[in-house]
Amino acid sequence: MAPSLDEMIQMYRKMLEIRRFEEAIADLYHRGEVPSSAHLYIGQEAVAVGVCSALRRDDYVLTTHRGHAHNIAKGVSMRRLAAEILGKATGLCKGKGGSMRASSLADGVVYACPIVGSNIPIAAGVGLSIKLRGTDQVVACFFGEGASNIGDFHEGINLAALWRLPVLYVCENNLYALSVSQRRSTLVEDIASRASAYGIPGVVVDGNDVLAVYEAARRAVEDARGGRGPTLIECKTYRWLGHHAGDPGFAYRPKEEVEAWRERCPIKRFRRVLLSRGVTEEELASVEEEVEEAVRDAMDFALESPYPGPEELLRDVY
Amino acid sequence: MSMVEALREALAEEMRRDSSVIVMGEDVGVLGGIYRVTQGLLEEFGPERVRDTPISEEAFMGAAIGAAVTGLRPVVEIMYADFLANCMNQIVNFAAKMRYCSGGQLRVPVVVRTMVGHGRGHGGDHSQVPMTWFMNIPGLRLVAPSTPYDAKGLLKTAIRDDSPVLFFEPHLLYRVRGPVPEEEYTIPFGRADIKRRGEDVTIVAVSAMVPRAVEAHERLREEGITAEVIDPRTLNPLDIETIVESVKRTNRLITVEYSPKTGGVGAEIAALVVERAFDYLDAPIIRVAAPDVPVPVSPPLGRMTVPTVEEIVEAVEALL
Ligand SMILES: Cc1ncc(C[n+]2csc(CCOP(=O)(O)OP(=O)(O)O)c2C)c(N)n1
């Protein structure tokens, strides 16, 4: 079942929000306003939006160090997300988590786990709680291909599979874990093939095609809600920028490769699809304008927000 | 009843009281745990709430955390405390920090029950008493009961607490019997138990060292020395007030633990006492502890890593 045209325009809006948001954060980073590193998502927008569009509002997401996008795609306030990234009191986590831990339980984004792979077992536990509480929610757990080489991946997916937990394991294969390419970290071609080791379905999808990602996620959600357990979805994609905002990203990958992937921009590609389905240039232009405005507003909010006061230091420990 | 039975009662009572309490770990279901603490729980509460896990400490610890932040109260069993090393990441980087780093959005009501100090030739990686690994991790509660009564009351408090709790069960005391009342009770965290009153020296003993310190008290009494014996019961929060108040009366302090001495519980307590009651001390503080070695298998060597009543008595005599 494909999304309606209205839903697709919504998806386009979200992809664009992510793109503009990350550009704005990069800008603030270079102006010294971001107190941490910032791992930007530009180039991968179809994955977060494709998956989260297949989720309900009350479904859960667990993300990673590269998690701004999953928050936006899940409907988290860009204002409070930006404020969190800047370490401000109005941030999602009162500025205590920052870019790599920004999350909003009220919106279903349970947590962002910046230790690579750690969210994989935690997602199994969220699935377990869903199962025991008897709701029909699901949880989507995002991670990079680099995470598929750590023990948490293998232990965690095995456990979720064994207990048939309602989890979507979404591997965003952007080909590099920091500087190390997939080829230099595993002999496995498709990360999704690892699913067979745990007796669950593994699916490879074009991670720059938001409708393909959506469709794969929709099927996995259906299985998860139906009690048939987890699916491992591998989305082949690419990060355009460096590992984080301070990394130019060219020391370990050829310029031509980066250029070739930029040609395959997931947003431009989806824009063409929308136009071919009868959405007008004017409609898209007004979405684009609204997004620019919303992102500018979010950054202004974050910049104008105060830092937390010293009384916050010792709060929330226990 | 024994500590094993007391723990089992606490688990069963809490599981009856609150359907969000679940138990998971290796061999905790069909077998009832290798120490039999969870015996009978599978029969009463069923396989959804009492779950045998694969040998994946990091995974089921992570799963417990994920379940906890979304509404359950998991109690996890780690078969040997040494295996906490296999899930250190989930405990230290997630359970302990998610509440803080989420700005208070998340609560992590996980209890990690684990066996410390096997004491019978299981060797270096199956014998540790590693409370101290976690003492400088803010966000965790650390509980070390030494009697069946305390074990039951503290485990019930642990299960009801919204913070992650590491609950260290001493193998040396699992089968030791003690009184446990019929009626419901809990024991608050952060309240030390003064096991014996005394005037001449304060002995702070932890976990399985508590009954040894009590025995040392009895022997010293025959020599006319009265030692105050304190069991802190929880190391985080630590009831330092009770210890300091005692030292102000006795003017001498001995700590007893069976973890390696360096960076141990005694080191922390000694530092706190020096900070708060330096002027009251009439003698150096003595830390009775395990030597800084892995626990060897060979019985005569292995025994040398667990402080004895004699060592405690000698430490007191050296001070007076
Ligand atoms: C366990 C662990 N090791 C190393 C790091 C440092 N680190 C952060 S992100 C990263 C690369 C992760 O690659 P991948 O999982 O593919 O995700 P991507 O960054 O490509 O989104 C590394 C090595 C870490 N955070 N956690």
Side-chain angles (χ1 to χ4, degrees), chain A residues 92-94 96-97 103-105 110-111 113 118 121-122 125-126 128-129 132-133 152 155 159 163 313 315-316 318, chain B residues 22 48 51 54 56 58-59 62-63 66-67 70 89-90 94 99-106 139-141 163 236:
Chain A
L92 298 166
C93 313
K94 303 191 213 166
K96 292 174 175 177
S103 48
S104 171
L105 183 63
V110 179
Y111 198 59
C113 299
S118 297
I122 294 176
V126 174
L128 178 62
S129 116
L132 296 198
R133 285 185 285 112
D152 276 24
E155 290 190 22
L159 193 68
W163 290 347
L313 181 67
R315 277 190 197 151
D316 305 319
Y318 296 99
Chain B
I22 65 166
E48 289 291 343
R51 307 182 86 91
S56 309
E58 173 79 359
T70 51
N89 172 53
Q90 289 291 347
F94 295 95
R99 180 153 193 182
Y100 190 83
C101 293
S102 70
Q105 294 178 79
L106 301 178
L140 299 176
R141 295 301 189 193
S163 293
N236 183 343

Side-chain angles (χ1 to χ4, degrees), chain A residues 65-66 114-116 143-147 150 174 176-178 239 243:
Chain A
H65 58 286
R66 202 176 298 289
I115 306 288
V116 169
F143 50 87
E145 86 293 342
I150 202 166
N174 59 15
Y176 291 83
L178 216 162
R239 74 169 146 74
H243 174 63

